[in-house]
Amino acid sequence: MAEKWVYSFGGGTGEGDAKMKNLLGGKGANLAEMAVLQIPVPAGFTITTEVCTYYYKNDKTYPQSLQADVLAALGKVEQIMGMKFGDPANPLLVSVRSGARSSMPGMMETVLNVGLCTSTIPGLVKKTGNPRFVYDAYRRLIMMYSDVVMEKAAGIEPAEGKGIRVQLDRMLHELKDKRGAKSDADLGEDDLKDLVARFKVRVREVLGKEFPDDPLEQLWGGIGAVFSSWNGKRAVDYRRIERIPDEWGTAVNVQAMVFGNMGDSSATGVAFTRNPATGDNRFYGEWLPNAQGEDVVAGIRTPNPLNDATKNAQNEHLPSLEAAMADTYKQLDGIRLKLENHFKDMQDIEFTIQEGRLWMLQCRNGKRNGPAAVRMALDMLKEGLIDDKTAVRRVAPNQLDELLHPILDPKGEQKAHAIAKGLPAGPGGATGHIVFTAADAVAWAKQGKAVILVREETNPEDVDGMWSSKGILTARGGMTSHAALVARGWGKCCIVGCGALHVDAHAKTLKVDGTTLKEGDFISLNGTKGNVYEGQIAMVDPTSDPELSNQIETFLSLADKFRTIGVRTNADTPQDAAKARAFGAQGIGLFRTEHMFYGGGENSTKALLQLRRMIVARNESERRAALAELFPLVKEDIKATLAAMDGLPVTIRLLDPPLHEFVPQGDAERKRLVEVAGITLADLDKRAEALHEVNPMMGHRGVRLGVTFPEISEMQIRAILESAAELTKAGKKALPEIMVPVVGTVLELDHQRAIVDRIHAEVCKTCGVDKVEFLYGTMIEIPRACLTADKIAQTAEFFSFGTNDLTQMGFGFSRDDIGGFVPDYVEKKILPADPFQILDQEGIGQLIQMAIEKGRKTNPKLKIGICGEHGGEPSSVMFCHRVGMNYVSCSPFRVPIARLAAAQAALGD
Ligand code: ADP
Ligand code: MG
Ligand code: MG
């Protein structure tokens, strides 16, 4: 059988359905589904993503039968709509729309009003009796087509401000100014007629080609342009950010046009079945009378509110659709319910009203930010729309990150000078330097600066700059504008439609409220409220809001029902430990003793001095003297942490970093050390010299320190075991796990185990107990440890994968030097992602799997976890679940993310 390249929909039937997104793209699949649901959809057809694949594989040509298939499908559309494409008397116009598997808002091209030309214009004028409308449609066709098909798809890259779209836009604006017209809708028939004539001349001058006057030529031009927009710069940028594979391809939808620009009983709009910023279960949207398609999203006019629930300071004076077209609104509201009940999720919809008649043009699962995602999942569960498993799946683990992301410090906010208010399009706070172009945002961010991108409005070309910014601020556009849509998808702080701003991207200034701000000046955004402030405001942790943290906790408890692996946290102080328990951590997977020396507090300074004294000691007895003074400080820290965790396991790692890291550099500190240690500055320099290593990362560190200086291990082990013994004696619970770092052979572990046994016996005696409960194990972070894991498991009672070092040593990438080359590797697709952020399952993952298998063969009860940064990264957590780890451990703020990712892993996602 010949392959099927084209699928029709409309007139109450559809050859495709919502399940066919891979083949038909999200838009095409859902248009077919809506048609079958008897929702009014203009008839059309979808050219499959496989044609896109074919197109790129075959030198930008189409399968042989495609032409005939398209004409046949067009025939069906003509039949359903009762019009004919290219017919002078009763012409059908179509839109040519892109549609990838997962939505890429505004990233690819759409051309409306295809089929308008000298031979069809008079017929349409006669049929509609509305010449103004016809010429408005024609000028839109010329603007879109010359840009999308004749310029972009032809590979022409005009200089900034010289693109055909910009030039035609400028002509339109000049005309409006001349006529004193406030909006496009105020231009009349003669103006538009004259404008299109001049447009055509300009197109010929700039692009060296006539604007095509043949409907079929327009149609095929549009189809080709959509396919080639798949590889346009902004689509490619967006795919990188969203990790959408290049191979997917886009479908093309050709659909009969319906017109929102036929007068005051016509309109177009965009809506969400629930509020995408808060999750509130009320219909939410924007609309424009007498407008077409992209006008709402493009932020050309401030759109009207759909209903009262959508009113805000910017639009409350404008009529709502509910008030202006009550019947149509009611019908739309009915469709809203029908769609939610059918898709069982919040829908993002596009609609057009042509002379009072409602048409649906798109529906898809709406993007939402973190707080809204949690709220909707919990609400829909309560409403019985979805079950608990589905609810847990509804929130992407990374979205929780947003809920836990910093907001502006309310105290700082109170004192700050508010300069403007806009629409709260993306919640949270952001503070940073003002930049005015996407390119500047990228460049400044590369230098490690926090920036806020300030634009008149954003367009899809700005995505990489938007991504690089901490926050986005626009002067124009509504809650469904491009900036709002994109920011919401990323969970980025964003304020749009801030009309008081005068943005001059050319001069790089922002004038507002009598103040002029320049590039580099500080500005702060409260994206939850829409407030803009001059200057820098400190950021704080949002979980201090009780309502929000309640919702998160309810949701995470639901997730915990399904989770099968433990989630612990990495914590280095008793305070961290307490916070981690509040986030739901079930233990500490990594307690780094050395962090007590970094703290800067009084105890920490004392401890650091003694540690330094130990480092410069010339012999064992001097070293022991310093260790004896260090002991009570280390013990206090460990004991308080064990107490805070109240019987939950605490993995305590023995001293890991190379000693020279602690050698003082400053004069004052050097003098102080020399005094306490009773040595000369020359002695100190000599000692520092001796400690110097060419490659400290792979030098004298970890267990190697304990082998050379057993008394260092001894002191720490005694602190751990005494703390535990004393706590248990006092009727409390304590479960320490002694972890030896940087082990490559079991003999290292045996060597330290002998010390542990000796100290254990001593502690039992001094504390008067039979035994202290603890586990003894190791960090697995050297490839050799993975290869010999069966032997290591003879001594180790647990493994904890230190995936930061394991990645470093497995790749041979110095963790401290990756900035110079890993970004290029990712860009050039040699690596799919930075392996220090996302675990390399293919390579390093094999080492882990092998170590688990070998280890458990020796000791089936071996406890296994991970304590690298990866322990809080969703895809890596899923991997840990699959390979049978007992727990993951991550930084306290990532605990909720790990809990959810682990639950979703257990649900088999
Ligand atoms: P995107 O994927 O960027 O949202 P669309 O293909 O949805 O692009 O097209 C953009 C807008 O064009 C739509 O929101 C809709 O308003 C308008 N549009 C597309 N097809 C038609 C049509 N057949 N009739 C009327 N308007 C249309
Ligand atoms: Mg759309
Ligand atoms: Mg390490």
Side-chain angles (χ1 to χ4, degrees), residues 27 42 94-95 97-98 104-108 110 112 255-259 268 270 292-294 297 350-352 361-362 364:
K27 200 180 288 169
V94 297
S95 63
R97 317 171 65 186
S98 57
M104 299 170 57
M107 293 303 133
M108 288 181 299
T110 289
L112 305 183
Q255 187 177 26
M257 280 303 301
V258 288
F259 302 102
T268 185
V270 177
Q292 198 172 23
E294 71 290 353
V297 178
E350 293 174 4
F351 63 89
T352 282
L361 290 173
Q362 189 170 337
R364 62 187 163 198

Side-chain angles (χ1 to χ4, degrees), residues 111-363:
V111 187
L112 305 183
N113 308 331
V114 168
L116 262 187
C117 60
T118 6
S119 64
T120 52
I121 285 174
L124 196 62
V125 170
K126 194 160 163 219
K127 186 177 142 197
T128 60
N130 188 345
R132 189 218 163 260
F133 146 71
V134 175
Y135 286 102
D136 183 53
Y138 195 42
R139 69 100 188 151
R140 289 170 188 271
L141 170 66
I142 299 174
M143 289 174 92
M144 281 187 254
Y145 193 94
S146 60
D147 171 44
V148 170
V149 185
M150 299 174 73
E151 189 170 271
K152 288 211 179 82
I156 299 171
E157 288 176 25
E160 177 74 29
K162 291 276 193 290
I164 185 71
R165 180 84 175 233
V166 181
Q167 297 200 36
L168 299 184
D169 241 336
R170 216 176 289 137
M171 292 168 70
L172 174 65
H173 277 287
E174 281 163 13
L175 180 63
K176 269 163 60 182
D177 286 346
K178 210 161 97 188
R179 291 282 175 273
K182 274 216 240 53
S183 91
D184 307 345
D186 298 332
L187 291 176
E189 171 194 346
D190 292 336
D191 281 335
L192 289 167
K193 207 171 182 171
D194 172 60
L195 188 65
V196 295
R198 291 191 292 121
F199 270 8
K200 286 209 227 172
V201 175
R202 180 64 67 90
V203 167
R204 190 188 321 124
E205 283 168 7
V206 174
L207 298 169
K209 264 200 214 152
E210 287 296 337
F211 184 78
D213 203 34
D214 173 49
L216 275 175
E217 187 186 341
Q218 288 177 1
L219 178 63
W220 286 103
I223 292 171
V226 171
F227 282 136
S228 64
S229 70
W230 177 253
N231 275 344
K233 178 183 177 310
R234 52 187 155 127
V236 172
D237 283 350
Y238 188 84
R239 287 204 292 275
R240 289 289 169 281
I241 294 168
E242 299 280 323
R243 294 177 194 286
I244 296 173
D246 291 337
E247 304 76 56
W248 280 6
T250 180
V252 177
N253 301 290
V254 176
Q255 187 177 26
M257 280 303 301
V258 288
F259 302 102
N261 55 338
M262 285 186 79
D264 290 337
S265 62
S266 300
T268 185
V270 177
F272 297 86
T273 54
R274 303 181 186 215
N275 187 318
T278 64
D280 184 23
N281 185 10
R282 283 185 294 177
F283 205 9
Y284 188 93
E286 294 171 337
W287 70 290
L288 279 175
N290 199 11
Q292 198 172 23
E294 71 290 353
D295 292 356
V296 175
V297 178
I300 287 171
R301 288 187 250 161
T302 301
N304 303 6
L306 191 71
N307 50 19
D308 286 344
T310 317
K311 285 196 172 159
N312 59 42
Q314 269 63 39
N315 65 19
E316 63 194 358
H317 61 287
L318 299 166
S320 69
L321 188 72
E322 191 175 13
M325 301 186 191
D327 287 346
T328 316
Y329 178 81
K330 233 178 254 148
Q331 191 192 349
L332 187 64
D333 198 42
I335 291 176
R336 165 199 180 222
L337 285 181
K338 192 167 183 177
L339 287 175
E340 267 212 357
N341 282 327
H342 183 72
F343 287 104
K344 315 230 177 277
D345 199 356
M346 186 266 276
Q347 296 297 300
D348 164 353
I349 62 183
E350 293 174 4
F351 63 89
T352 282
I353 299 164
Q354 176 175 335
E355 298 187 306
R357 183 159 174 201
L358 175 67
W359 296 92
M360 299 301 294
L361 290 173
Q362 189 170 337
C363 77

Side-chain angles (χ1 to χ4, degrees), residues 590 592 594 653 656-658 661 695 697-698 701 742 779 781 802-809 811-822 834-837 867-870:
L590 179 63
R592 288 166 287 200
E594 61 270 18
R653 182 175 72 181
D656 185 42
E661 269 190 21
N695 203 343
M697 269 287 192
M698 296 199 273
R701 60 174 286 212
V742 205
M779 209 145 161
E781 51 188 335
T803 46
N804 299 349
D805 266 320
L806 191 58
T807 300
Q808 163 164 276
M809 316 238 194
F811 269 94
F813 284 177
S814 159
R815 247 202 282 173
D816 302 310
D817 302 306
I818 51 166
F821 55 93
V822 164
D834 175 353
F836 290 94
Q837 281 173 24
C867 63
E869 281 305 309
H870 302 103

Side-chain angles (χ1 to χ4, degrees), residues 21 86 193 224 243 268 309 361 387 403 503 506 519-520 554 670 795 853 868:
K21 294 204 169 65
K193 207 171 182 171
R243 294 177 194 286
T268 185
L361 290 173
D387 63 13
L403 278 79
V503 183
H506 196 68
E519 182 181 58
T554 310
R670 278 162 49 93
T795 303
E853 250 163 61

